[in-house]
Structures are given as C-alpha cells and as structure tokens.
Amino acid sequence: MTGAPVGDLVAAAVERRTAVPSFNVIGLEHAEGIVLGASRAGIPVLLQISENAIRFHGGGMRPLIAACRELAEAAPVDIGIHLDHIEDPVLIDEGIALGSAFGIGSIMVDASTLDYADNVRTTADAVGRAHAAGLWVEAELGAIGGKDGAHAPGVRTDPAEAASFVAATGVDGLAVAVGSSHAMATRDASLDLELIAALAAAVPVPLVLHGSSGVPDDVIREAVAAGIRKINVGTALNIAYTGSVRSFLDADDRATDPRKYVAPARDAVADLVQRFCEVISPALLSRKASR
Ligand code: G3H
Ligand code: ZN
C-alpha cells in the first residue's frame, strides 16, 4: 500500500472548490505532527519533501519517504506524499524511478529559475516520464518571491503565458506567483486576488500557492475562493517547532533528553496543522477513502 493518490486529492478539492493543505516535512517528528494535526481535523493533506530536506538528510530521499508512507498508511485520513521544489535532474529522475510504487504521489519539477523555453523543455521532458510512473506533476512559472533571495516578491505569473506553459508541458498543477513570498516569519503578505481569478480562468489545471506561511487566514480563504487548489505551508511549522524548543530550553538549561523538548514541539506542529487545515479546506472534511 502507498500514500494516497495526489491527483485524486486535488481533484476532490477542485470539485468542492477548496484546496489541499500541503505541509513541508523536515524529519520524522514533523511528519508525525502533520499527520496528527490532519487526523484531528479530519482533512486529507500532503506531506511534502523538498529538495532542501533531501539534502539535509544527506541526499537520499528513500528513508524519509518510507517513514512518511508508513505514517500515511496508518492515518485515519488520506495523506499523499509530494516531492517539492525538485530542481536537480538526478533527484527528478530518482523520484520518477521510485514513483507511485514507492508511495510517492506527486512531484514538483521546479525549473522556474530557467528561462521560459528551458523551463518548458525541462518540465515537458519530466512530465511524460512522471505520468508513466503514476505521478501527478506540478511545475512553476514566474519564480515565487523570496526563495534563496533570488527573486523579488513583485514577480507575477502572466495568465496567457501560464496557459501556453500548461499546454506545452502537460503539467497537472501550476505554482503561480501572485504576491506570496517564501520563508516569511510574519503573516502579512497581500495577494493579488484578481490575478488569481484571472489565472484560474485562463489555466485548465489547479493552481498552487507557495509561501503560504506569510499569508493571513482571511487572505488564504480569499485565495481559495479565487481559485487556488493546493496551499503549501512550511516556515510557519518551523516557527512553531523551534519556538517550542526554545522556550523549553530557556526554562531548563540542564535538559539533555531530546524527547523532552521534541514532544511538545511536535505537538505545536500538530496544533498549527489542524488550524491551517480548518482555514484552508473545511469542505474537505472527510473520512479516509478506501483504496
Ligand atoms: O513549497 C513550499 C512552500 O512554498 C512553503 O513556503 O515556507 O514560506 O510556507 P513557506
Ligand atoms: Zn514553495
């Protein structure tokens, strides 16, 4: 058995005009906290493993994916496993080679730092192979502000270009630049809601919002109403996790057993995930699908 098929989870969100909450996993405790929070909310989510997380684990993706797969299998709600912001061709190939047979549901092929023609070429090449491996594929057009400091938050995705990009590549979902910025520690980003609506009208596949940690709850709801169908959250979980660890260690400078401070940090992740789920996708309240 594997993680839930991501295409099915996104299709359900499209049908109910809501979005799939998608959370970045760094280690086992993040994954446990995310699954716990989603289970309490009763809402399907994605566990996202980024290229940066894979590098943190020494370059190998299999152990963390295997752990996520086991957690997904045991969860009372559907949990999909997504490879996030994969730029390295070697990791794209490995993710596709492992495919749905290993429990992976989807991959974001991130060629957004390349020029348009190379982005199309790289993405289209991966899409055919990923589909053959049973994967739903996300790509990005118009680099989302803030990532590695390489792009200004003012970047925007053009609707006509986005429609052409989807037609030329065959991707299943598109990450768009609409005002959010990666790694924000404050929740005060404003989104271009009219652009989201224009993109949703022009693009025949679900739209993905990145950098959602910095977006206030009411703006997340408005983004979903305007047509966003997958919402990525990472930094906010790390703020909650690290804040919990910091306050524990500040109060006890003799602590040595990591379980003492990691357990409340994992709970802090679970609490925040539950809240995000309830904000992002109340319409997805559901039991686990049989598969
Ligand atoms: O792909 C991951 C997300 O875009 C996470 O962004 O860390 O700013 O929430 P964030
Ligand atoms: Zn992102």
Side-chain angles (χ1 to χ4, degrees), residues 24 48 84-85 108 110 138 140 144 147 175 182 209-212 232:
N24 283 87
Q48 305 196 132
D84 190 37
H85 284 293
M108 178 190 188
D110 185 354
E138 176 182 336
E140 179 172 317
I144 288 165
K147 186 160 188 275
H182 281 114
L209 182 68
H210 284 242
S212 309
N232 289 10

Side-chain angles (χ1 to χ4, degrees), residues 270-284:
D271 290 346
L272 191 57
V273 164
Q274 182 176 352
R275 272 208 62 243
F276 267 111
C277 285
E278 290 163 358
V279 168
I280 293 168
S281 56
L284 277 180

